[in-house]
Amino acid sequence: MSDSKLAGQFFDAAIGLLRRVRDEDAGEIEAAGNLIADTVVEGGRLFAFGAGHSSLAAQDIVYRAGGLALMNLLTVPGVVGVDVMPATLGSALERVDGLASAVLDCSPLRSGDLLVIISLSGRNALPVEMAMNARALGVKVIGVTSVAYAGETTSRHVSGTYLKDHCDVVLDSRIPIGDAELTLDSIEAPFAPASTVVTSALLQAVMATAAGALADRGIEPPLLRSGNVDGGHEWNGRVMTEYGDRIFYRR
C-alpha cells in the first residue's frame, strides 16, 4: 500500500470523527459553550487541564489568538507534556491517588470558576479526582473524554468511576479504544492517532459557541488577537487590563 493511500485513509478517519462529534455532540457543545459564557458573565475564572498528550488540547485554548483571554492552564508538574524525563513518569503520575487534591489546594481555583478537564480514557486517578474535588469546591467541570473507554476498560480510581461521572457537561470525542485509526497486515500495532485533532476541534467549537453566547447577551467576548497583525498587541493589552484579575498566565 502506498504512503499516500495511508495518508488519505487517516484524513478520512479524522474527518469521519469530526463529523460525528459535530452531529452527535451538538447539544453538549452548546451546553458547554453556554456554561463558559455564564461563568464569564458571573465573574468566574476559566481553567483547562490535560495530562500527557491531552495537555496539547488544553494548551490550544490558552493564550491563543482568536481565543478567550480568560482561559488559564492548570498545570501539574511532570504531567503537562512529554518534556519530562523520563517521559513515562508523566503516565505514572496520572495514576497517583491524592495528587489532584494537592494541585487544587495550591491552585487559584475557587467556587464559581470553571475547569475543562481533558482525558482520553478518563480512567486514571488524576483526572477523576480533579473533577471530583473541583466540583466539591463549587467549580463547574466540563469533561472531554472518549466515553467508550468506560465500557471497555477498568477504572484506575478507587471509586471505580471515570471522568465522565463527575462533570456538569461531558463532551464525547468518540475516539475508539487505543487511539489509533489505521491497521495494516504488515504492521503489528495499530497506528495514526486522531485524538489530538478531534479533541482540539471539539474544544474550539465550544469556544466559538461561548463567544457567540456572550455576543448574544450584548457582551463583547474577551478575545485575543494575533500579535503578528497590526494593532494586535494594543488590543490584547486592553483586554488583559480589563480582565487582569482573571488572567493568571501573566503572573
Side-chain angles (χ1 to χ4, degrees):
M1 180 178 292
S2 68
D3 294 342
S4 61
K5 188 171 184 180
L6 286 172
Q9 287 183 357
F10 175 75
F11 280 120
D12 288 343
I15 291 168
L17 285 164
L18 289 170
R19 285 175 172 158
R20 283 195 67 192
V21 297
R22 178 196 64 190
D23 298 338
E24 298 175 26
D25 285 20
E28 289 76 12
I29 290 170
E30 182 176 3
N34 281 310
L35 192 57
I36 289 173
D38 291 342
T39 303
V40 173
V41 170
E42 294 165 6
R45 293 90 58 82
L46 308 175
F47 297 85
F49 166 77
H53 286 96
S54 290
S55 71
L56 297 174
Q59 293 176 59
D60 192 50
I61 56 173
V62 175
Y63 188 50
R64 184 69 188 265
L68 291 174
L70 275 60
M71 186 62 73
N72 302 277
L73 188 66
L74 181 64
T75 60
V76 179
V79 305
V80 174
V82 294
D83 56 335
V84 62
M85 295 296 291
T88 51
L89 174 62
S91 297
L93 289 173
E94 286 188 69
R95 304 178 189 182
V96 174
D97 293 330
L99 180 56
S101 295
V103 171
L104 290 176
D105 287 346
C106 297
S107 80
L109 272 165
R110 66 188 185 192
S111 180
D113 291 346
L114 181 143
L115 175 60
V116 178
I117 301 177
I118 306 155
S119 174
L120 178 60
S121 72
R123 66 187 297 217
N124 289 312
L126 183 56
V128 173
E129 287 185 1
M130 190 76 76
M132 293 175 66
N133 294 349
R135 293 184 85 191
L137 291 172
V139 173
K140 297 295 184 182
V141 175
I142 296 172
V144 189
T145 187
S146 173
V147 173
Y149 275 83
E152 300 185 39
T153 66
T154 302
S155 171
R156 289 177 175 147
H157 187 253
V158 293
S159 68
T161 61
Y162 295 78
L163 170 60
K164 73 175 185 64
D165 299 316
H166 306 284
C167 301
D168 296 278
V169 179
V170 176
L171 300 171
D172 187 356
S173 64
R174 316 283 169 172
I175 299 295
I177 304 297
D179 190 19
E181 296 302 317
L182 303 183
T183 59
L184 199 61
D185 290 342
S186 58
I187 300 177
E188 290 192 19
F191 56 100
S195 60
T196 302
V197 174
V198 175
T199 303
S200 292
L202 189 51
L203 283 172
Q204 290 298 348
V206 170
M207 295 300 109
T209 301
L214 287 168
D216 287 344
R217 303 179 197 191
I219 298 170
E220 180 185 356
L223 297 169
L224 295 172
R225 289 180 180 267
S226 172
N228 296 313
V229 299
D230 293 341
H233 286 298
E234 291 76 14
W235 173 280
N236 293 341
R238 176 183 64 80
V239 172
M240 290 183 180
T241 297
E242 182 177 352
Y243 291 94
D245 61 330
R246 293 195 254 178
I247 297 174
F248 295 89
Y249 50 80
R250 299 184 68 201
R251 303 176 186 176

